[in-house]
Amino acid sequence: MACDFDGLAALGESIASCRICRDRPDPRSRPLAHEPRPVCILSSIARIVICGQAPGTRVHASGRPFTDPSGDRLRTWLGVDKSEFYDPAQFAIVPMGFCFPGLDAKGGDRPPRRECRANWHDTVFAAMPQIDLVLAVGRYAQDYHLPQWRGRSLHEVVESWEQIEDETAPAGRLIIPLPHPSWRNNAWLSRNVWFDEVLVPFLQKEVAARLIPAVEQREH
């Protein structure tokens, strides 16, 4: 069942104008030091949602998710091109933090802001009931979408993808845990060749089964 388009569009507009992290931050956090630029793609018909961490500097500048080398790798894992990836009829994209969280003292990205999860995520996923494949990219997304696995290492969660398939698929929303496609995970990918040999083909099969042919898109 697809949700009401007008309601989802209004939700997207509310997210785009959100300034909670700057104006009313979580008491455990400092206000966001720069102008927020929420990046999130909602969909009334896509069956797949990509749930990553938070925009980096390039995405903050472009306003478009995964406009960096990690996006290229992720699209390779999914077996799709850019036109399919950025088509909201095919993919929703809902990171755990909608805005670039800033850099830490070492020059790395800070964790996703807590405000997004607390104020938006439950509403967003309730508004897209047609989603039946969740790609949980990285530990923060896995903690939200797989609370029963919280506290486990990313390696343990991703390595347990078949068990997670058995747990989540019967409920009607299959969840596939993935490492972040960043170059920082090159060593992990080199050590875990099963990921490319076994999990990626399974991932591509599940994605392909849910892509909507162009003729069907025109009917929506």
Side-chain angles (χ1 to χ4, degrees):
M1 179 181 68
C3 76
D4 176 72
F5 178 79
D6 291 336
L8 193 66
L11 179 59
E13 290 172 1
S14 295
I15 291 172
S17 63
C18 179
R19 299 295 183 269
I20 292 174
C21 58
R22 184 195 65 185
D23 300 340
R24 292 181 286 112
D26 183 282
R28 295 166 290 179
S29 305
R30 295 180 179 180
L32 191 67
H34 53 268
E35 176 65 19
R37 189 179 191 182
V39 177
C40 178
I41 298 176
L42 307 184
S43 175
S44 62
I45 59 175
R47 295 173 59 191
I48 309 167
V49 62
I50 299 169
C51 306
Q53 181 166 306
T57 53
R58 293 189 185 186
V59 174
H60 180 66
S62 70
R64 198 180 195 198
F66 289 104
T67 50
D68 53 23
S70 67
D72 294 335
R73 173 178 273 173
L74 178 59
R75 285 183 282 274
T76 297
W77 288 352
L78 303 181
V80 300
D81 58 25
K82 285 186 177 181
S83 64
E84 293 168 315
F85 185 82
Y86 290 113
D87 182 352
Q90 308 290 12
F91 293 94
I93 302 179
V94 183
M96 290 309 302
F98 296 146
C99 293
F100 170 54
L103 301 175
D104 61 25
K106 296 181 179 180
D109 290 357
R110 294 182 182 276
R113 298 286 305 200
R114 295 184 177 96
E115 296 86 354
C116 295
R117 175 173 174 170
N119 289 277
W120 293 114
H121 278 70
D122 290 353
T123 300
V124 165
F125 286 100
M128 298 191 296
Q130 83 285 353
I131 294 291
D132 63 4
L133 175 59
V134 176
L135 308 181
V137 183
R139 182 170 59 85
Y140 292 101
Q142 290 159 15
D143 282 352
Y144 176 78
H145 292 282
L146 296 166
Q148 68 274 31
W149 288 81
R150 193 173 297 148
R152 312 284 186 94
S153 70
L154 183 141
H155 172 80
E156 186 177 359
V157 175
V158 176
E159 190 178 43
S160 302
W161 65 273
E162 289 176 295
Q163 181 180 342
I164 292 169
E165 177 197 3
D166 291 340
E167 292 174 354
T168 61
R173 188 170 274 187
L174 171 62
I175 301 174
I176 301 179
L178 301 172
H180 196 280
S182 166
W183 62 268
R184 292 181 177 87
N185 282 325
N186 284 351
W188 186 91
L189 292 167
S190 296
R191 292 193 305 269
N192 294 275
V193 295
W194 58 266
F195 178 81
D196 279 321
E197 293 176 352
V198 182
L199 180 48
V200 168
F202 173 80
L203 171 65
Q204 292 180 354
K205 177 177 69 72
E206 294 296 325
V207 167
R210 291 166 171 83
L211 294 180
I212 302 174
V215 64
E216 293 185 22
Q217 288 191 45
R218 290 193 293 269
E219 296 173 358
H220 284 274

